[in-house]
Amino acid sequence: MLSLLLCLAQAADPALPRLGGFLSEQRGLCEPAAALFGPDGTLAIVETHAGRVSGGGLALENLSEPRGISRSADGDWFISDAQGILVLRGDTQRRIRLPGARAEGLSWTAQALYVADSLAHCVRVLDPKTGNEQHRIGTRGSAAGELLCPRDVAVAPNGEVFVADTGNHRVQVFRADGEPLRRFGDYGPYPGLFSSPSGIEFAQDSLFVADTGNHRIQRFRTSGDFLYGFGAHSIRPRDGAGRLHYPTQLAVAADGKRIAVIEGFEDRVQIFGEETPQSRVMELQNELSASAHYGGALALGGRLGVVLEPESSNAVVLDTSGFDPIEITRIGRFGDKPDLFARPASVALDGAGEHAYFADSLRGRVSRFSLARGSTEALRYDLLLPRLECASDTRNLPDGSGFEPRAIARASSGAILALAADGSLWRAGADLRGWRRILAPEPARELCTGLAIDPASGRIALANPAQGTLEILNSDGGSPTLLRQPAGSRPSAVAWSAMSTLVLTDERLHEVRALDLEGKQLLRIGRQGLGRAEFFKPRGIVIDASGRWWVLDAGNHRVQILSARGEFVHAFGSRLFTDPLRKGYTPPEQPEWTLWPAVSSAQQRFRIHFQASSWPPAVGETLSVEAHLVPLEQITQEPTLVLDGGMPEHGHGLPRDTRATRLGDFHWKFEGLRLHMGGRWRLYFDIHEGAHTERAEWEVVLE
Amino acid sequence: MILAGALLLMQSEWSAPELARILAHEKRAPAPLDATNAHLTNPAAAKLGQALFFEPRLSSNGKVSCATCHIPEQFFTDGKRLAEGLEKGTRNTPTILNAAYQRWFFWDGRSDSLWSQALQPIENPLEMGSSRAAALRLLQTDATLNQLYREAFQSAPDTSDECFARLGKAIHAYEHQLVGGLSAFDHYARALRENDSTAQAQYPADARRGLKLFIGKANCRLCHSGPLFSDGEFHNLGLPRSRTGAKDDAGRYEALAKLAQNPFRAGGSFSDAPQGERAQELEHTPRTGELWGAFRTPSLRNVTRTAPYMHRGQFRELRDVIFFYSELEGAEPAGHHGERVLQNLNLSVAEMDDLLAFLDTLEEELPAEALRRPLQVPLQNPQQKPRR
């Protein structure tokens, strides 16, 4: 995806120089969320993951998820965090509590303190002296005057309130009393359009917008007329120097000659000044794009895997049966209809890989798609493959209750569990009906991002990056156990292994850790980087049927596959981010038997690749058959295999039994197969797992 | 379709599906009536409209009429990249021939009727730079126009917006008659339909090959469909951006916003069918970012006579257009949400020649000579100078 650098201005605002020339950058921050030029001209930077604010004369620590910053004319500082607003006046601190809010960007005026609340989908207007809430601007929705996940607010010199209506991809303008005045922008990459605009700032009487998903900054008149934009999409890993990667916030210096662009994703702030011929950021001309923007979540099931691309609001479906996962289809794009997504946040697949479930946290919807195909032929690229089957508007449940789904997971019973924005847990059937709350809302759990269910016991694991904990619950949501993680840890996702241990990803320490259920650390791998078993903000983990770890290395737009012992096996994703893994590395030989013909079991839980000593056999010829059993779902013990057959139309079986020998793990040889008559033979492998038997059969007709 | 099936046995050159595709392009029906203009078939209104079409006093400098850019002998275009009225404009002049078949007007679709379209150039500072007040004053003060108005509308012209709307409706009534005659392709299609092999043989071989590409490998018919060779909808082709520094053109995205505010739209109070189908079209067309930079598929009838091409006249020759479709050289990427209709065709030079030969056969006969010049009215006053 290329972002377009917009190089022309209409009559540029004469009062303010045209900004866009790269000056400097500051790296090594810890998920910076906002900044403000302090009275001394330096930048005060808010770092969410580090819980601190520094620079500009401030030095605050131990804040909980700080996000926004503003300053009054008298020099008071206001910082929004998970608990509300922190007010600093000289050496004293005061706190304004905002229950039920997720306070993000703020803007102080002498009349009111405006706070963008992305959880309540409104702007809270507080008294600037007491902090009491006076009223709210906007309600949840997409119509005029409604907001979806607004991330920032700024007040124009004439008192009009401009809101970065992030979820609706537009800017809305209100009168100070909340009356909606106008709005501009729509979803798209062109000038004047937006993709998740998250930051908005006034400089004299023109407006700057951090157009996050389009990787650029756009400038407008207060009327909404587009003036110009700057910023080229960062292509190579960690590319800066004027290239942007998900800019979320801005700060403009008082003299209007410098603008600081905050890129939380890259842990970086870049400063831009006046655009000059020497300093102008070059326009992208048909350069290679990042090609894949894997980021949101990952799921595996059967032969398939699904990775979310939040930026394009779609899901990539991959055939994972071969060594290289291959994209075979995509699901969704941005839109409102039941089969489209506003913000896909989580995905789950059933064991056979036939149904994919999505949670759209912005639309408030859980949907189910079919990925089943009639035949067993090889998967190929097919945009017609996914079909929407059903969807739940989870915010308007029949009994009047509702929730915003943040994460979903599927239990082995087929039930779907959802973690809600208010920290509650809900469950529904595989058909997405009958949603019931199984765990009450809990503020401490509001910021959980990871949800996983143990296929064996049904126990639930939650990853809470803000609290730095893993929480284990029974399948009914009871008996919570907290496993505290090391200092500075932010567990972002968790998975259960077959041996009932937990594996988690840590988005701040850039590592993957395995723990037992007491919390004792069994394995710890990874560090920040681009190399093998190196990560940048990993945010998803799934364990496949063979016990390998698939790590969604979100900050590197890729997925890494590691063995159960944490050794690098393979990776796929954005080419520029996976190239560093390939240098001088030869993939292991793909076993030849994976190319043999295969047959699947009736319940799609197994696949068997087999090869006969001669095929098709002559009537009466004695053959031997070699077979490899591939489980498509997690199993607890290796099954035994039997090869048998018969002619149903004649009413008899094989003339003699085959002799079975186990050659190794999941590897068998059968001798003495003889088809003694011409006609239709039905042959099958019976897979015995203790008391349960599944059959994989096929037919052959002999002359 | 049944007819095509019956002809299958006889048309060995074309398969049954190909034949069906070809016949779908044949022009057989007259232009549909627009219910939003009650005076569409009023001959007196058409006369007034013709007089107005060639009337330069509708412009502020008295030199620019509709016919200045829509030159009848040039198939109602001007052969320029960008239209030039009082000043150089921002878009290429589209033809008015067969415009009566369209649902949307202007490159960006900011009018949903031909009569409301006709009003906009009058007040556009780059085109005629006048005002409705001035235009209506002309209607009142010029004896001939005044007379024509009364004959058409059975009332005297005044300075109301209703009267201004009627001015447009009169021009529409005239333009409704500007329909081309049958083209060589239409004759060929009819010959296929009637199984007239003699008539069929008259259609050149290279045009036949081009036609085969048009409905087959090159798939032009996907957007250039139906008798008008246009689907009437809007697409963003990813044309290379302007190098001269012109402001980006938002196309339909901006046009929908403008149309919604336009009092002369099909759903407005000056329409004669404000609840009708045309009004419903606008109501059910959501304005989304996908429409940014999307422009109306033009008709390909007479395309060889209406160069330059595309909304800013970006392509001088038709061959350049076909080359772009074939190679997509310099095409802008669509972004995550853009449509991806165009694919590289990789046509050979011979194939491009054949396509051009086919498009040549879409040339039609111009309408009657009497419609291609200013209205001839007997002089009422010997001192009144005859119009040019």
Side-chain angles (χ1 to χ4, degrees), chain A residues 1-2 4-6 8 10 185-191 193 283 285-286 309 311-312 333, chain B residues 236 241 243 245-248 253 287-290 292-293 330-337:
Chain A
M1 189 212 73
L2 298 179
L4 309 170
L5 174 65
L6 316 141
L8 269 314
Q10 281 177 333
D186 247 311
Y187 178 70
Y190 294 108
L193 302 181
E283 179 171 350
Q285 291 278 8
N286 297 329
E309 277 196 0
E311 194 169 319
S312 50
R333 56 189 157 76
Chain B
N236 182 334
R241 307 179 75 188
R243 305 258 175 265
K247 181 175 174 294
D248 287 313
Y253 181 71
R287 180 182 183 235
T288 63
E290 289 169 12
W292 203 101
E332 296 287 333
H336 280 302
H337 61 287

Side-chain angles (χ1 to χ4, degrees), chain B residues 311-357:
Chain B
H311 65 279
R312 293 187 56 83
Q314 287 100 321
F315 295 113
R316 274 234 173 274
E317 294 181 19
L318 202 44
R319 183 177 293 276
D320 299 332
V321 178
I322 297 180
F323 186 81
F324 175 75
Y325 277 106
S326 180
E327 307 298 313
L328 293 179
E329 190 178 290
E332 296 287 333
H336 280 302
H337 61 287
E339 64 174 31
R340 277 170 277 254
V341 182
L342 289 190
Q343 312 216 339
N344 284 74
L345 300 173
N346 294 316
L347 300 171
S348 68
V349 174
E351 286 174 324
M352 291 198 232
D353 285 340
D354 289 340
L355 263 178
L356 283 170

Side-chain angles (χ1 to χ4, degrees), chain A residues 641-643 657-662 668-671:
Chain A
L641 211 56
V642 169
L643 173 60
D657 290 335
T658 59
R659 190 173 81 240
T661 318
R662 183 174 173 280
W668 294 80
K669 188 172 177 130
F670 302 94
E671 282 159 312

Side-chain angles (χ1 to χ4, degrees), chain A residues 23-161:
Chain A
L23 289 177
S24 65
E25 66 186 64
Q26 185 178 345
R27 295 174 178 260
L29 298 166
C30 198
E31 192 89 11
L36 201 56
F37 282 96
D40 58 359
T42 63
L43 260 187
I45 301 177
V46 177
E47 294 169 84
T48 308
H49 287 185
R52 70 171 168 245
V53 182
S54 51
L58 293 177
L60 299 167
E61 301 269 338
N62 296 320
L63 299 173
S64 173
E65 312 287 295
R67 285 212 173 77
I69 189 166
S70 187
R71 197 158 174 274
S72 76
D74 306 330
D76 297 347
W77 292 92
F78 301 84
I79 290 146
S80 61
D81 64 9
Q83 287 153 3
I85 315 268
L86 184 66
V87 185
L88 280 108
R89 170 170 295 172
D91 291 326
T92 55
Q93 287 187 14
R94 190 164 68 83
R95 183 162 278 289
I96 302 171
R97 297 215 173 263
L98 296 174
R102 182 177 291 197
E104 308 228 17
L106 345 165
S107 192
W108 177 94
T109 66
Q111 290 75 39
L113 179 66
Y114 296 89
V115 183
D117 182 348
S118 61
L119 195 59
H121 307 284
C122 66
V123 172
R124 296 188 189 230
V125 185
L126 313 179
D127 183 293
K129 303 243 178 343
T130 63
N132 292 334
E133 187 172 308
Q134 295 173 342
H135 65 274
R136 296 187 188 184
I137 295 178
T139 51
R140 190 192 203 284
S142 301
E146 294 180 342
L147 303 168
L148 260 189
C149 196
R151 287 234 152 93
D152 201 6
V153 57
V155 184
N158 64 0
E160 289 178 342
V161 180

Side-chain angles (χ1 to χ4, degrees), chain B residues 1 4 9 65 148 164 208 210 223 236 254 267 277 326 332 348:
Chain B
M1 296 299 142
L9 293 169
S65 69
L148 285 170
F164 190 53
R208 263 180 244 234
C223 297
N236 182 334
E254 193 149 318
E277 271 188 51
S326 180
E332 296 287 333
S348 68

